[in-house]
Amino acid sequence: MNIGIVCYPTFGGSGVLATELGKYLAQSGHQVHFITYSQPVRLDILETNIYYHEVNVEDYPLFQYQPYELALSSKMVNVTLKYKLDLLHVHYAIPHAYAAYMAKQILCQKNISIPIITTLHGTDITLVGKNPSYKEAVTFSINNSDYVTSVSDSLKEDTLELFDITKDIEVIHNFVDLSLYTGKEECRKNFAEEGQRIITHISNLRPVKRIEDVIQVFYEVQKEVDTILLMIGDGPEKEKSRQQAAELGILDRVKYLGKTSEIERILCMSDLFLLPSEKESFGLSALEAMAAGVPVISSNTGGLPEVNIDGQTGYTADVGDVTSMARSAIHLLNNEELFAEFCKNAKLQANRFSLERIGPKYLKLYERALT
Ligand code: GMT
C-alpha cells in the first residue's frame, strides 16, 4: 500500500505513535509518506520505504495567522497524486482531519477517491476540540472521516459524550516496540550515586501534566527514600517547576535533561515513573516506562487506568492527591519483593500493548478501508 501519514512532528505522544506506526508499516513492505511541517523527531528518513514531505506555509504580512490547513490540504493533494497514495491516515483531529476532508474533496473533483482515517489522540477532544471555537469543525471532520479510531476506551467515551458523533469509533490502543527496551542501563551512575533510586517524568511540561505535582510527590518521597528525579522534555512549566524545586530545597536532586532521543535508555535505568496528569487519554510515556519494566505512579484520569493497573503495575490516585501518590511511591520503593513483582507486572502489561499485537490492527483497518 501507499500510505500517507499526517501528524505533529514534535515530541508529543501522537507524533511519536504516528512515527512508530509509519516505521512498522514501512518494515512490513508498505510505502509510507509522512506529510508535516518538519521532520518527525523519531523518524529516520533514510530508512527504506519512508518518505518525508514538508508542508511549507508562506509568510505574508496580511496574515495575522498563517493558513496552515490550506497548505496542508494542498500538500496532501499533491503527494496523493504524485505518489498514488491509497489512503490518508491523520493523527490528531485538529486541524489534520479538517485539512484531510478538504484534500479529499479536491481529489474527488479530479475523479480520485481516497479514504481518510482519523485517529483521535487526546486533547484534540478533551481540551482543545471541545472549545466552542473549534467544536463544530471538529465534529464535522470526525463525522466526515471514512474511519475513526481512538487510542483508548476512555477517549472514545469522551468523544461520544462531548460531540454529536454519527460515525463508529474503533478503539485501537497505543502500542510500544518492546525490542527497544532491553534491560538495565549501565550509565545510571552518570546520574545517581550508588544506592540512590531514579524517579523519572517525561512530558512536554504543559499545565495538563501537573508538573507541580511531580515535584511535590518527589519532595515527599526523597524525605524517606534516597532518590533523584529526572525531568525529561521541555515546555512552558519548566521554569516554574525549577523554581518550585529550588524553594523546596531539592534542586540538587532534580535533573532537567530537556528533549532527548535517548528515552528508552533513560527509562531502562529508571526505578519509578511519575505521571500525575490532569487529563490523559492514554499515557504513552507510562506504557514506555512499563516496557522498560518500570512501575508507574499516576493519576486515575482518562485512559490511564487502562494502562497502569492500580496495585499491580503501579498505583493510581485521584488527580491532585499528591499525598497518596507519594505514600504509594515510598511503599513500593521500600519493599523489595513487592517492587520486583511490580516491575515484572509492568513488563507483562506492556506486552499486551506490543507493536506485534496492535500494529496489525491498523493494517486490517486499512484493508477494510480499501475494499
Ligand atoms: O492530546 C495531547 O495533549 C497531545 C497528544 C500528544 O501529541 O502528545 O497526547 C495525547 O496523545 C498521546 C498519544 O496517543 C496519549 O498517550 C496522551 O495521553 C494524550 N494526551 C492527553 O490526553 C493529555
Side-chain angles (χ1 to χ4, degrees):
M1 279 180 256
N2 293 332
I3 299 158
I5 290 187
V6 178
C7 64
Y8 282 105
T10 48
F11 271 89
S14 60
V16 169
L17 198 277
T19 308
E20 295 298 337
L21 175 61
K23 287 191 212 167
Y24 161 76
L25 296 168
Q27 278 160 15
S28 311
H30 304 283
Q31 309 279 309
V32 182
H33 295 261
F34 283 88
I35 306 171
T36 181
Y37 59 81
S38 73
Q39 189 183 326
V41 284
R42 290 206 194 171
L43 186 69
D44 192 344
I45 51 169
L46 297 182
E47 288 296 321
T48 317
N49 293 341
I50 299 256
Y51 306 86
Y52 162 60
H53 308 276
E54 189 164 285
V55 180
N56 270 320
V57 187
E58 286 298 320
D59 215 355
Y60 185 67
L62 180 68
F63 302 146
Q64 189 180 351
Y65 307 104
Q66 306 308 321
Y68 179 66
E69 292 92 306
L70 223 60
L72 178 60
S73 298
S74 293
K75 196 71 175 184
M76 283 193 234
V77 170
N78 294 339
V79 175
T80 302
L81 291 173
K82 183 161 180 195
Y83 297 93
K84 303 199 170 5
L85 296 190
D86 295 305
L87 59 92
L88 281 163
H89 186 174
V90 303
H91 292 260
Y92 204 89
I94 306 171
H96 301 154
Y98 197 71
Y101 173 79
M102 287 314 299
K104 186 176 168 118
Q105 296 312 307
I106 298 167
L107 286 161
C108 213
Q109 300 253 307
K110 298 176 191 291
N111 291 324
I112 289 169
S113 161
I114 185 162
I116 306 289
I117 294 159
T118 296
T119 291
L120 309 171
H121 277 273
T123 50
D124 46 351
I125 295 300
T126 58
L127 218 67
V128 195
K130 69 171 191 191
N131 183 303
S133 314
Y134 302 116
K135 197 169 174 179
E136 283 297 341
V138 172
T139 308
F140 176 87
S141 37
I142 292 174
N143 284 338
N144 284 282
S145 297
D146 295 290
Y147 290 86
V148 182
T149 74
S150 87
V151 299
S152 66
D153 294 316
S154 151
L155 183 61
K156 176 177 174 175
E157 280 160 29
D158 284 344
T159 311
L160 295 176
E161 196 182 306
L162 295 167
F163 299 84
D164 196 2
I165 297 299
T166 54
K167 257 273 108 67
D168 263 0
I169 299 179
E170 177 174 347
V171 176
I172 302 184
H173 284 103
N174 282 336
F175 60 80
V176 65
D177 182 353
L178 292 165
S179 70
L180 302 175
Y181 301 83
T182 49
K184 287 290 166 199
E185 268 287 331
E186 291 306 312
C187 56
R188 61 179 284 142
K189 60 181 177 301
N190 296 4
F191 299 96
E193 289 163 17
E194 191 69 34
Q196 247 176 358
R197 316 293 285 279
I198 299 179
I199 300 181
T200 302
H201 170 79
I202 303 176
S203 77
N204 34 25
L205 308 188
R206 286 172 303 156
V208 73
K209 302 290 173 179
R210 292 187 71 96
I211 305 303
E212 71 278 20
D213 289 4
V214 175
I215 300 294
Q216 194 59 41
V217 171
F218 175 69
Y219 173 67
E220 296 300 333
V221 174
Q222 57 83 45
K223 286 192 215 162
E224 304 287 329
V225 190
D226 190 8
T227 39
I228 62 145
L229 174 65
L230 298 183
M231 295 290 282
I232 314 296
D234 212 342
E237 295 290 286
K238 186 171 176 177
E239 277 324 302
K240 211 165 93 191
S241 106
R242 206 193 287 270
Q243 209 178 323
Q244 184 189 359
E247 280 162 15
L248 291 168
I250 53 168
L251 196 51
D252 57 329
R253 283 177 178 268
V254 184
K255 299 178 198 305
Y256 292 86
L257 302 185
K259 292 176 183 169
T260 166
S261 54
E262 295 176 298
I263 297 288
E264 295 91 5
R265 294 184 68 189
I266 288 170
L267 286 171
C268 283
M269 67 184 188
S270 302
D271 295 296
L272 204 60
F273 189 78
L274 287 184
L275 196 61
S277 310
E278 180 86 38
K279 287 186 191 305
E280 203 70 70
S281 69
F282 182 88
L284 188 58
S285 57
L287 176 61
E288 290 180 329
M290 288 184 205
V294 177
V296 174
I297 305 290
S298 71
S299 62
N300 54 17
T301 188
L304 275 172
E306 292 171 50
V307 183
N308 182 22
I309 311 298
D310 187 39
Q312 284 181 32
T313 61
Y315 290 104
T316 63
D318 289 342
V319 172
D321 191 349
V322 287
T323 310
S324 163
M325 290 182 204
R327 206 187 310 120
S328 302
I330 294 165
H331 175 65
L332 201 50
L333 290 172
N334 275 339
N335 189 331
E336 228 172 273
E337 243 174 66
L338 188 73
F339 180 74
E341 191 188 319
F342 274 45
C343 292
K344 209 172 78 199
N345 292 344
K347 195 109 197 165
L348 282 173
Q349 170 73 345
N351 242 300
R352 289 186 49 222
F353 299 97
S354 69
L355 173 63
E356 290 76 13
R357 279 185 190 205
I358 310 281
K361 296 191 183 189
Y362 280 109
L363 272 174
K364 282 205 182 104
L365 175 63
Y366 295 169
E367 278 156 19
R368 249 187 294 144
L370 292 178
T371 49

